[in-house]
Amino acid sequence: IFSTLMILNTIMVTFFFFFSTSWFERPSRIFPFGLFCTFVGLVVAIMGVPNVWLLFLGTFLITIGELQLGAVGQFLLIRLLPTQRAVGALYSSGMVISQLGKIVSASIVFPWLVHSDELEAPILMLTVLFVVFASFTLVFRKDFDHAAAN
């Protein structure tokens, strides 16, 4: 089932990624909604482990959140970089750091979820991360919108 969910996610992201960048105009609205979709999708997927349809619903919500965060996040990263000769190296470094963060967090969280009998701790961790990232987005919302407009 996990392989099917990952294939579904990959197909959806590949198909909709380029279209999604033209649909979104204000990062201050997109980031919180993308975070919310990802958070709810993860909770639904974790809570619905025995139910295949809840896993598919959770994966769908995670993918919607990933599209919103990924498309706008990469766009903002490009816009926020200073215009100088090393802009390619700075962008590449930002992408490497982002991917390393995903790998490290997945390597920590995945075994924890698979081998855990209790779901309260992972859901509490997700809730804390959601609040932290949503707060970060609210604090810098004007900067994000300004960078997207220029």
Side-chain angles (χ1 to χ4, degrees), residues 35-85:
L35 287 170
F36 182 75
C37 285
T38 304
F39 170 71
V40 170
L42 286 168
V43 170
V44 167
I46 290 170
M47 299 296 287
V49 168
N51 187 331
V52 174
W53 294 109
L54 286 177
L55 287 173
F56 280 117
L57 175 63
T59 300
F60 179 76
L61 290 170
I62 292 167
T63 301
I64 296 300
E66 182 181 356
L67 281 168
Q68 295 172 0
L69 295 172
V72 176
Q74 287 184 9
F75 170 73
L76 281 178
L77 179 60
I78 291 168
R79 296 299 286 265
L80 291 171
L81 289 174
T83 54
Q84 53 185 325
R85 293 183 61 196

Side-chain angles (χ1 to χ4, degrees), residues 69-126:
L69 295 172
V72 176
Q74 287 184 9
F75 170 73
L76 281 178
L77 179 60
I78 291 168
R79 296 299 286 265
L80 291 171
L81 289 174
T83 54
Q84 53 185 325
R85 293 183 61 196
V87 71
L90 288 172
Y91 177 76
S92 299
S93 299
M95 294 308 298
V96 168
I97 291 168
S98 172
Q99 295 305 319
L100 285 175
K102 289 178 185 179
I103 292 168
V104 169
S105 62
S107 65
I108 292 170
V109 173
F110 187 74
W112 184 29
L113 287 174
V114 169
H115 300 295
S116 178
D117 293 333
E118 299 177 10
L119 299 176
E120 292 82 16
I123 291 175
L124 177 63
M125 181 193 68
L126 287 172

